[in-house]
Amino acid sequence: MKALAPLIDFPAASQSTYLNTASVALMYRGCQQAIDDWNRDLAENGTVNFNEHAEQTIFDELHSSYARLLHATPEDIAVASSATEQLSSLAWAIMPPADSKILTTGIVFPTTIYPFARVARHTGAQIDFIPGDNGYTDPQKLLDAIDDQTSVVCLSHVEFGSGQQYDLRQFADVCHAQGALLIVDATQSAGAIPIDAPASGADIIIAAGYKWLCGPFGASVMYVAPHLQTSLDPGLIGFRSNKDIWKLDVEYQDYPDSAHRFEFSTMAYGCAVGLAKSVGYLANLGIEKIQTHNLMLADRLLEGLDALGAQIVSPRNTTERTSIISAKLPDTPSQEVVSYLGKANIVISPRRDFFRFSPHLYNSSDDIDTALAELNKLS
Ligand SMILES: Cc1ncc(COP(=O)(O)O)c(C=O)c1O
């Protein structure tokens, strides 16, 4: 099976066997080019081209392309520099009250919950972690824990360590029946797994740009459901937080009636310009097609790992599986496995006590076979 994306779009894919998108993706060439062009223009021309109008409208293309990817509208999308930044602004905006409970899993990426933990220390809200078993969280246990004391459920759509995927609609329904908000970190899913934001029922969906969206560090995107767009008071505000960003009057504060109220400052704007290109590229290819491709690679990898007697940590059933495959070999420490493959120019990551593969659209079945052949020499 060939790579889904032509090499010309991801030239770096020829330089290594790169199976590490869950850590950092190879960047779409059109994205890299747009960032370089934008930075060069700014360096050489300052505000000659990047004038007030250009700065006011700089996120327009990313608003539109990401809205298209999520079946949302451009008004539903806010841009910032990182997922952590967006989660932080959001946690202060929601400010879960003292007598309430915030729920998440025991295996979630720290960033997904730390901003809420910080606010909880301030308000006295309580955080409950639903413990997992060997990297797996039983979704029913989490669903059962949601009650009328719950203010927020923070869920990583796909867990970074094991690739376990949750059914957003199921969580949204239970959250809303109990009066809780569902906050989704889609950093490990957006770009690889279809997301229909309005249909999912999620209240917020945040994703960093440098993983499955094939963009850069320095840009992230947040979907805000329409019912929250006029009520939330963002934790981070600045001159951009206003309807008229150029009024520049300290007495004036008037947030946009949209997700754009979460856009507050200057940033490495070129990163957002580049991410818009990656997102547009993925949307044109079709996320369903990307998902099918990635799962076929995952199947081939699983077959090879089984033959090697590896212990697979990732779920294998159709509703919870993704192309993030984490495993352990019986006799070789995972860090050693990662280093050994690294010497053969095969790039994966160690996570906790296992090693993690995460193939994406620029990988082919040859990449999987290359990695398995090398692993075979180890066992
Ligand atoms: C689920 C998840 N959320 C967020 C992040 C990091 O986000 P950012 O670097 O944009 O703050 C990661 C990074 O691995 C992640 O896996």
Side-chain angles (χ1 to χ4, degrees):
M1 196 200 342
K2 290 198 313 197
L4 184 60
L7 196 55
I8 191 164
D9 294 332
F10 291 90
S14 67
Q15 281 159 34
S16 66
T17 303
Y18 195 84
L19 296 162
N20 208 22
T21 306
S23 185
V24 178
L26 297 181
M27 198 185 291
Y28 166 54
R29 201 170 89 118
C31 165
Q32 187 184 353
Q33 192 62 55
I35 294 171
D36 290 351
D37 291 349
W38 192 88
N39 284 333
R40 188 173 316 105
D41 180 57
L42 187 75
E44 293 174 3
N45 300 302
T47 58
V48 174
N49 298 320
F50 191 59
N51 56 25
E52 275 86 358
H53 176 71
E55 189 162 357
Q56 171 102 48
T57 55
I58 189 75
F59 297 137
D60 285 6
E61 188 180 344
L62 184 50
H63 289 150
S64 306
S65 62
Y66 194 61
R68 199 176 136 220
L69 200 82
L70 259 51
H71 306 275
T73 72
E75 288 68 39
D76 301 337
I77 310 300
V79 180
S81 300
S82 74
T84 307
E85 186 178 274
Q86 290 187 313
L87 280 156
S88 297
S89 186
L90 182 73
W92 288 107
I94 292 174
M95 214 172 292
D99 53 354
S100 79
K101 205 165 70 172
I102 302 163
L103 283 175
T104 192
T105 72
I107 53 171
V108 78
F109 191 74
T111 270
T112 313
I113 194 63
Y114 279 177
F116 282 91
R118 172 67 184 88
V119 176
R121 282 200 293 279
H122 178 76
T123 64
Q126 175 191 325
I127 301 209
D128 284 355
F129 296 94
I130 303 304
D133 180 16
N134 195 25
Y136 178 79
T137 305
D138 180 350
Q140 197 54 51
K141 281 196 183 145
L142 185 50
L143 288 163
D144 289 346
I146 302 169
D147 59 20
D148 60 4
Q149 294 289 101
T150 310
S151 52
V152 171
V153 173
C154 273
L155 195 64
S156 203
H157 187 195
V158 168
E159 298 281 11
F160 79 103
S162 62
Q164 178 182 355
Q165 180 184 172
Y166 300 99
D167 179 345
L168 298 185
R169 184 73 248 180
Q170 191 181 28
F171 275 90
D173 288 345
V174 175
C175 282
H176 296 160
Q178 299 289 357
L181 292 173
L182 177 62
I183 310 302
V184 176
D185 183 342
T187 298
Q188 295 291 3
S189 62
I193 292 170
I195 300 173
D196 183 326
S200 76
D203 297 290
I204 300 284
I205 304 177
I206 290 176
Y210 59 87
K211 298 185 193 278
W212 304 88
L213 291 172
C214 300
F217 281 117
S220 63
V221 269
M222 173 164 79
Y223 163 84
V224 181
H227 75 99
L228 293 175
Q229 290 174 12
T230 51
S231 56
L232 289 179
D233 191 351
L236 300 175
I237 62 168
F239 84 103
R240 266 206 93 108
S241 310
N242 285 320
K243 280 181 185 150
D244 179 356
I245 71 169
W246 294 120
K247 196 163 168 127
L248 302 177
D249 175 350
V250 286
E251 305 277 346
Y252 166 76
Q253 252 200 19
D254 190 11
Y255 297 144
D257 298 321
S258 70
H260 304 169
R261 60 177 49 205
F262 280 91
E263 293 165 352
F264 61 98
S265 74
T266 63
M267 58 179 275
Y269 287 125
C271 296
V273 173
L275 182 58
K277 304 293 178 204
S278 294
V279 169
Y281 176 83
L282 297 174
N284 285 341
L285 261 181
I287 303 296
E288 284 80 5
K289 226 165 127 185
I290 294 171
Q291 182 184 37
T292 303
H293 173 83
N294 292 357
L295 287 179
M296 279 161 76
L297 295 177
D299 280 340
R300 197 173 180 105
L301 182 59
L302 285 167
E303 205 179 300
L305 289 170
D306 283 340
L308 288 169
Q311 183 199 335
I312 311 291
V313 184
S314 305
R316 303 171 83 137
N317 65 71
T318 48
T319 52
E320 292 179 303
R321 67 185 295 235
T322 62
S323 74
I324 296 179
I325 304 293
S326 295
K328 288 183 214 179
L329 287 180
D331 300 319
T332 319
S334 294
Q335 183 58 62
E336 220 172 281
V337 173
V338 175
S339 307
Y340 181 81
L341 292 186
K343 286 188 190 120
N345 206 19
I346 300 162
V347 187
I348 63 167
S349 282
R351 285 294 177 270
R352 300 198 172 118
D353 61 343
F354 39 85
F355 51 87
R356 182 185 69 184
F357 288 87
S358 45
H360 201 10
L361 73 168
Y362 38 71
N363 292 118
S364 66
S365 50
D366 284 352
D367 292 334
I368 303 297
D369 295 347
T370 302
L372 288 171
E374 210 57 37
L375 272 181
N376 206 21
K377 292 185 201 161
L378 247 187
S379 54

